[in-house]
Amino acid sequence: MISKNISVNEAGHLCFAGQDVCDLAERFGTPLYLLDEDRIRENCRLYKTAFAESFGEKAAPAYASKAASFVHMYRVMREEEMCIDVVSSGEIFTAVKAGFPMERAFFHSNNKTDADILYAMDAGVGYFVVDGEDELVRLSELASARGAVQKILLRVTPGIDPHTYEAVNTGMVDSKFGVAIETGQARELVKLTLTLDGVSLEGVHCHVGSQVFDEDVYQRTADIMLPFLAQMRDEFGFTAKILNFGGGYGVPYVQSDGTVDIRARIGEVAAHMKALCESLSMELPFFVMEPGRSIVADAGLTVYRVGAVKRIPGYKNYVSVDGGMTDNPRYALYGSKYTVLHGDKANEPADFLCDLVGRCCESGDIIQPKICLPASTARGDLVCVCTTGAYNYSMASNYNRIPRPPVVMLRDGGAFEAVRRETFADLTALDL
Ligand code: LLP
């Protein structure tokens, strides 16, 4: 199985986190997002342990909450004593509602409005990750006006190609995010920051990309970032307290993806950074990473009910389900791969080649092309898409006025709704 929380029981039903998906579909309806809370907590602990082993006290993982953002998720992060990354006032609002201690939050975005800046300061956000000069100057003005000093990191682009897909490649010099080291703009921004009131420069941030498998990406990042910090020390007498490398470790969606041994990788990154710091005669700053996908992706499974099976002899076959690009736009957007399994005939040979498609009124509404399901697949059956915990619920839409599915958490053998199913009334709630 693609993930160790998936199994098959004697009835031939797929089980997720030890629970029969047919029972869960019966109880909560379909389409249905399942999230294995135990797995999310395990993933958090994996990072925490790896960080502690490799960096001691001087490191912390921050969950990138854009991967899956709702109140209960922030409660889990609070209980696991994680830091978080937030990217909008909406995420801040949700985290605050969960009672998350906002001093452990890093606030991103390449375009924070004045309202966002004020809202985040009111919420007590620990660190702004400042994306550029416009934001820096405005934050300085707004913080000074209220007699506050906001802690910040500057987001810089190290010019690293992490070899992932283009839409999530962010560390290159021509990125929408951050200021480039190569062009000298990052140096200028550090210099400017040190002259401004209302902001306290705590360190720097970079994020090279998402779904990263390349073994040495973070070593290459360190090779740029640490000498940059040494240069800032030598030129401006500035010592960075925090170095944040953003998110990115990849997760397997299909068997051929391979896996990342996160604990081992973090150990290698730490060793590399320590040696580099020694050669630069600098102390290693407090190290932060912002994993999103690798915390929640394999904790997710989406359950759909089959509506139509269409065979076009000599051409192709379609299996249509009761969800689609509205609950999972990732194939439509990025061509993302997924493993698809039958929910109630999980023991039958899967030799019926088909495209798994949704119910939206457009041909691009494909969840996954060219998958295999049992030949007996028919209306009323359940089909499950694996590894949907990250960037599915958080990217869902109401296109075609389709209500979003509930998010059901599986914990200690039990199940409860963390987000309820949208109703038709919800769909018109904003219409005047
Ligand atoms: N930190 C920053 C500043 C980020 O921009 C991101 C992701 C992360 C951390 C978390 O990266 P992760 O560990 O999840 O790879 N919607 C796309 C992914 C967009 C990622 C955006 N930034 C997808 O569905 O693949």
Side-chain angles (χ1 to χ4, degrees):
M1 287 297 178
I2 187 73
S3 151
K4 68 177 183 204
N5 49 4
I6 302 175
S7 58
V8 179
N9 66 14
E10 321 75 60
H13 296 174
L14 206 68
C15 293
F16 191 55
Q19 302 190 46
D20 187 323
V21 298
C22 300
D23 295 344
L24 293 164
E26 202 58 48
R27 182 167 158 206
F28 296 104
T30 57
L32 173 62
Y33 292 120
L34 297 176
L35 268 188
D36 175 356
E37 184 173 323
D38 301 324
R39 183 69 194 217
I40 293 170
R41 289 178 186 272
E42 256 175 56
N43 289 337
C44 291
R45 288 170 200 177
L46 172 77
Y47 270 99
K48 291 206 85 160
T49 309
F51 273 45
E53 270 173 11
S54 303
F55 293 97
E57 302 275 278
K58 290 189 66 185
Y63 166 61
S65 64
K66 74 207 79 176
S69 173
F70 50 89
V71 172
H72 186 71
M73 186 65 85
Y74 294 103
R75 284 188 200 121
V76 173
M77 294 304 144
R78 187 191 67 206
E79 286 170 14
E80 293 299 324
E81 298 182 340
M82 294 284 283
C83 295
I84 53 168
D85 141 359
V86 287
V87 293
S88 68
S89 294
E91 285 186 355
I92 292 171
F93 176 80
T94 314
V96 167
K97 201 163 174 189
F100 190 86
M102 294 307 285
E103 67 275 8
R104 294 212 308 259
F106 293 86
F107 181 27
H108 286 271
S109 168
N110 63 308
N111 186 10
K112 301 177 185 76
T113 63
D114 285 10
D116 289 330
I117 292 173
L118 293 169
Y119 188 75
M121 285 196 291
D122 284 344
V125 161
Y127 301 88
F128 274 56
V129 181
V130 171
D131 207 82
E133 189 174 334
D134 289 318
E135 178 190 338
L136 177 67
V137 170
R138 193 65 185 129
L139 174 60
S140 161
E141 287 167 1
L142 291 171
S144 307
R146 55 167 66 183
V149 177
Q150 177 62 52
K151 288 192 276 188
I152 67 164
L153 306 183
L154 291 180
R155 177 156 178 173
V156 307
T157 41
I160 298 283
D161 185 353
H163 302 126
T164 181
Y165 56 104
E166 203 178 324
V168 296
N169 187 340
T170 47
M172 311 282 276
V173 174
D174 60 359
S175 169
K176 166 175 104 161
F177 300 99
V179 283
I181 293 178
E182 190 186 299
T183 58
Q185 287 162 297
R187 173 189 176 277
E188 288 304 313
L189 204 63
V190 169
K191 191 174 165 194
L192 173 64
T193 308
L194 295 171
T195 68
L196 294 178
D197 293 329
V199 288
S200 154
L201 183 59
E202 303 291 303
V204 291
H205 174 284
C206 63
H207 168 77
V208 294
S210 193
Q211 189 62 349
V212 170
F213 283 101
D214 266 18
E215 273 185 28
D216 63 343
V217 167
Y218 298 103
Q219 282 89 323
R220 286 192 280 132
T221 305
D223 289 344
I224 306 285
M225 296 297 284
L226 287 167
F228 174 69
L229 290 182
Q231 186 197 343
M232 296 304 98
R233 174 199 58 193
D234 297 344
E235 281 198 57
F236 308 125
F238 165 68
T239 303
K241 292 192 204 115
I242 299 177
L243 178 57
N244 185 330
F245 271 12
Y249 279 125
V251 304
Y253 286 90
V254 290
Q255 223 77 42
S256 57
D257 276 342
T259 51
V260 176
D261 182 343
I262 288 173
R263 199 164 163 186
R265 288 279 179 93
I266 287 171
E268 288 155 19
V269 172
H272 186 83
M273 288 175 78
K274 283 176 192 163
L276 204 52
C277 279
E278 214 170 296
S279 71
L280 295 164
S281 308
M282 66 190 280
E283 213 183 303
L284 185 63
F286 189 96
F287 182 67
V288 179
M289 275 187 97
E290 298 168 333
R293 194 190 307 273
S294 50
I295 298 284
V296 287
D298 66 358
L301 184 97
T302 307
V303 187
Y304 300 103
R305 203 167 287 281
V306 174
V309 178
K310 173 172 171 172
R311 294 177 167 83
I312 314 173
Y315 288 87
K316 66 194 295 188
N317 305 309
Y318 289 100
V319 170
S320 298
V321 292
D322 53 0
M325 67 192 293
T326 45
D327 59 79
N328 185 355
R330 296 192 69 256
Y331 179 77
L333 276 173
Y334 318 118
S336 304
K337 295 203 169 91
Y338 279 103
T339 298
V340 180
L341 300 169
H342 203 289
D344 38 346
K345 296 168 182 167
N347 280 333
E348 284 187 27
D351 49 11
F352 174 59
L353 182 67
C354 57
D355 283 6
L356 187 72
V357 297
R359 60 186 303 181
C360 287
C361 204
E362 71 174 74
S363 309
D365 177 20
I366 299 167
I367 300 173
Q368 197 63 195
K370 296 193 177 73
I371 54 135
C372 282
L373 288 170
S376 66
T377 299
R379 187 177 180 90
D381 288 0
L382 295 176
V383 168
C384 301
V385 178
C386 306
T387 330
T388 55
Y391 305 112
N392 274 230
Y393 171 69
S394 61
M395 294 178 76
S397 76
N398 289 127
Y399 184 45
N400 289 184
R401 291 247 135 168
I402 292 173
R404 276 172 288 207
V407 178
V408 165
M409 307 299 289
L410 307 180
R411 186 176 68 195
D412 296 334
F416 63 94
E417 274 183 333
V419 180
R420 70 161 169 79
R421 185 180 297 283
E422 268 180 338
T423 61
F424 293 141
D426 290 328
L427 294 178
T428 55
L430 307 178
D431 298 4
L432 302 174

